[in-house]
Amino acid sequence: MAASDPPSKARERRGRPQPAARDDAEREAGAPGWKQDPDAVRRNILETARRAFVDKGLSGARIDEIAAGTATSKRMIYYYFGDKEGLYRAVLEDAYMRIRRLEQSLDLAALAPIDALRTLTGLTFDYHADNPDFVRLVMVENIHHARHLKTSQSIGALNHMAIGMLADIYARGLEDGVFRAGIEPIDLHLTISALSFYNVSNQSTIKQIFGHDMAQQDARGRRRATVIETVLRHVCVVEADRSEANG
Amino acid sequence: MAASDPPSKARERRGRPQPAARDDAEREAGAPGWKQDPDAVRRNILETARRAFVDKGLSGARIDEIAAGTATSKRMIYYYFGDKEGLYRAVLEDAYMRIRRLEQSLDLAALAPIDALRTLTGLTFDYHADNPDFVRLVMVENIHHARHLKTSQSIGALNHMAIGMLADIYARGLEDGVFRAGIEPIDLHLTISALSFYNVSNQSTIKQIFGHDMAQQDARGRRRATVIETVLRHVCVVEADRSEANG
DNA sequence: GCACGATTGTACGAAATGGTTACTTTGTCA
DNA sequence: TGACAAAGTAACCATTTCGTACAATCGTGC
């Protein structure tokens, strides 16, 4: 196997190759030297690819277009990611890693159950609205029956901890007597997710059919409040203080 | 323009061509004669194409595969639909026509506001669950930024009447004093839609990540009740009789 | 039954696309 | 300074895929 071969899994495992990459600034300046920064090249490719997959879907995205959008070349895409599916899987894994990191940074134990639920719902809503790329990637993956999620090593045993957090909040709320009994945490998660996800995923068709632009700031703000209110009303025993919903 | 040319719009408008098509039964029997049934051929193509687009997306679906799945040939696809996008648009239009027809057949004026809302929500949930193809088509269309919805003549001014019905139900509920004030019908629609849609659209990833199969009958039934309950709790002034949700 | 036009299967072509090879450029160290 | 290895590029190749030309087939009116 020559050095210029596309990296096999064995090769990748053995040790990370050290390709050189022009730093963007240096490249534009036309400076003769470049820094060796494989990670930057990887990230650059990943970001460009994400935009493409998110915009056109897996089959719709074109490797040549992605290559043209990067600071490097098609050769490097195959060098780092093997093939189109490998690139897509890397993009997907990256997206899930991010949301996982965010979840891990959350600590709602200090808040009262109702406030914790309000906060978690608001954050979930905001995350979706602020990261349409993530939403669209998940859409694409669902179109493909989550085939890549299945085969991905790193996402395989992901098991979002959102459920764990929700279960915790819910248990505390039950104990305090502010939440009603008989609700499954997964069900609660589905409700929060659905209301947050749909707002981004179906923006285009909704706008087209109803002329209602959910991306607009004020529409988004109002919708956010409604979603939080809906979730609280669903869980709370009595109509608790949900005057103004905030994160 | 020769007779074998793909039909231009002008030609289609001038008069429907009358292609012959073997009836499935006759074809399998190897009978020499066939009935001329262009509509059946059209429907057959449309149905096969829908399955393909729904399964692989717009770019992922292959014309040759679709042709192989029909009772007729690729030639006829181009004969009737011009090109791949034309075929896709026809599939999309067909899907929206169906849901529109369903909506028009609804008459909830006879029901009390709460019952009407309960019924409408249940029907919406059921329609989505029973027609995953429709849901996936809308997903695909959203991936493509509703580009084809924009350019479609027949869907252009669709303006779902679901909003109108909701507005009516809501107004009556307000009058009766059972619904609280300050809710936008469009907002209500978004909530119902989101909760119904997500359950189908994200089935694959949810199952993969949480091991929760939303297609399962009992899970679906429980979810249905939850969705109805959520909507009612959102709208009703007090916790109305929502013991067991039924359509 | 026969001619004619409508309908359909086959085989093909051109463009696009994923993937690879051969070669140049750049950094480094004796 | 010059040779060598690592990194990068552009041209290339094989295959797929959309779309079409052509001729064979079939129903229908005379």
Side-chain angles (χ1 to χ4, degrees):
Chain A
M1 183 191 289
S4 62
D5 279 349
S8 70
K9 276 178 186 165
R11 184 191 170 81
E12 273 192 333
R13 233 181 275 117
R14 222 175 317 138
R16 167 172 293 144
Q18 297 292 323
R22 281 173 215 252
D23 176 318
D24 278 10
E26 277 181 349
R27 169 171 219 153
E28 287 184 26
W34 24 266
K35 282 195 226 130
Q36 293 206 345
D37 196 347
D39 270 354
V41 175
R42 254 189 81 100
R43 275 199 308 274
N44 177 232
I45 294 175
L46 231 40
E47 208 167 302
T48 312
R50 176 165 46 83
R51 276 200 299 270
F53 286 132
V54 147
D55 197 49
K56 316 261 189 89
L58 172 53
S59 332
R62 299 296 165 219
I63 288 279
D64 284 293
E65 275 180 40
I66 294 173
T70 65
T72 177
S73 71
K74 186 160 75 155
R75 180 68 188 79
M76 285 298 101
I77 294 178
Y78 285 97
Y79 187 78
Y80 282 122
F81 301 100
D83 61 5
K84 195 183 183 182
E85 294 238 326
L87 178 59
Y88 172 77
R89 207 176 313 123
V91 168
L92 195 66
E93 287 175 2
D94 185 57
Y96 271 98
M97 285 309 126
R98 280 165 202 240
I99 201 172
R100 190 187 201 177
R101 224 177 301 147
L102 183 85
E103 281 178 353
Q104 282 176 336
S105 75
L106 279 184
D107 182 19
L108 304 171
L111 296 177
I114 291 181
D115 287 333
L117 185 56
R118 199 206 313 277
T119 302
L120 183 59
T121 305
L123 285 177
T124 304
F125 184 92
D126 289 339
Y127 186 83
H128 284 78
D130 290 335
N131 296 277
D133 281 9
F134 171 72
V135 171
R136 292 175 64 85
L137 257 186
V138 175
M139 290 169 76
V140 170
E141 184 58 8
N142 269 292
I143 289 287
H144 292 276
H145 307 280
R147 179 159 46 91
H148 311 87
L149 222 54
K150 271 175 206 147
T151 60
S152 166
Q153 295 280 342
S154 54
I155 316 186
L158 198 76
N159 211 333
H160 272 231
M161 51 187 301
I163 300 290
M165 286 194 291
L166 269 173
D168 178 61
I169 294 173
Y170 180 62
R172 289 197 290 127
L174 268 185
E175 216 169 303
D176 292 5
V178 294
F179 291 166
R180 63 203 181 88
I183 298 177
E184 291 286 329
I186 178 83
D187 223 37
L188 195 48
H189 172 78
L190 288 181
T191 300
I192 297 172
S193 251
L195 293 171
S196 301
F197 194 94
Y198 184 86
N199 241 53
V200 180
S201 67
N202 288 45
Q203 238 167 47
S204 299
T205 51
I206 293 286
K207 182 174 178 186
Q208 196 53 37
I209 293 177
F210 301 111
H212 179 78
D213 188 355
M214 301 195 288
Q216 214 92 52
Q217 267 311 316
D218 55 342
R220 174 179 158 176
R222 266 184 281 119
R223 185 71 192 143
R224 184 183 194 275
T226 304
V227 168
I228 293 176
E229 192 179 20
T230 303
V231 170
L232 287 182
R233 273 192 170 243
H234 176 55
V235 179
C236 290
V237 164
V238 294
E239 44 256 55
D241 67 315
R242 47 185 145 52
S243 49
E244 269 313 296
N246 64 353
Chain B
M1 182 188 291
S4 62
D5 280 350
S8 68
K9 276 179 188 165
R11 183 190 169 82
E12 273 190 335
R13 233 179 276 117
R14 226 178 313 142
R16 167 171 294 143
Q18 296 292 323
R22 281 174 215 252
D23 176 319
D24 277 11
E26 278 181 349
R27 168 172 220 149
E28 287 185 26
W34 26 267
K35 283 194 227 130
Q36 293 204 345
D37 194 347
D39 271 353
V41 176
R42 255 189 79 99
R43 274 199 309 273
N44 177 233
I45 294 175
L46 232 37
E47 207 166 302
T48 313
R50 177 165 45 83
R51 276 200 299 271
F53 286 132
V54 147
D55 196 49
K56 316 258 189 91
L58 172 53
S59 331
R62 301 293 164 222
I63 288 278
D64 285 295
E65 274 179 41
I66 294 173
T70 66
T72 177
S73 72
K74 186 161 71 157
R75 182 72 190 78
M76 284 298 99
I77 295 178
Y78 287 97
Y79 187 79
Y80 282 123
F81 301 101
D83 59 6
K84 195 183 182 182
E85 294 236 328
L87 178 58
Y88 172 77
R89 207 177 312 124
V91 168
L92 195 65
E93 287 175 1
D94 185 59
Y96 271 99
M97 286 307 127
R98 279 166 201 236
I99 201 172
R100 190 186 201 180
R101 223 178 302 146
L102 183 85
E103 281 178 353
Q104 282 176 337
S105 75
L106 279 185
D107 181 18
L108 304 171
L111 295 177
I114 290 181
D115 287 333
L117 186 56
R118 199 206 314 276
T119 302
L120 183 59
T121 305
L123 285 178
T124 304
F125 184 92
D126 289 339
Y127 186 82
H128 283 79
D130 290 336
N131 296 277
D133 280 10
F134 171 72
V135 171
R136 292 175 63 84
L137 257 187
V138 175
M139 290 170 76
V140 169
E141 185 58 7
N142 269 293
I143 289 288
H144 292 276
H145 306 280
R147 179 161 45 94
H148 311 88
L149 221 56
K150 271 175 205 147
T151 61
S152 166
Q153 297 278 341
S154 56
I155 316 185
L158 198 77
N159 211 332
H160 272 229
M161 52 187 298
I163 300 291
M165 286 195 291
L166 269 174
D168 178 62
I169 294 173
Y170 180 62
R172 288 197 290 126
L174 267 185
E175 218 170 302
D176 291 5
V178 294
F179 291 167
R180 63 202 181 88
I183 298 177
E184 292 287 329
I186 178 83
D187 223 36
L188 195 48
H189 173 77
L190 289 181
T191 299
I192 297 173
S193 251
L195 292 172
S196 301
F197 195 94
Y198 184 85
N199 241 53
V200 181
S201 66
N202 288 45
Q203 237 166 50
S204 299
T205 50
I206 292 288
K207 182 173 178 186
Q208 195 53 38
I209 293 178
F210 301 111
H212 180 78
D213 189 356
M214 302 195 287
Q216 213 91 53
Q217 267 311 317
D218 55 342
R220 172 179 159 177
R222 266 185 281 117
R223 185 73 191 143
R224 185 183 194 275
T226 304
V227 168
I228 293 176
E229 193 179 22
T230 303
V231 170
L232 287 182
R233 275 194 168 240
H234 175 56
V235 179
C236 290
V237 165
V238 295
E239 43 255 55
D241 67 316
R242 48 186 144 51
S243 48
E244 269 313 295
N246 65 351

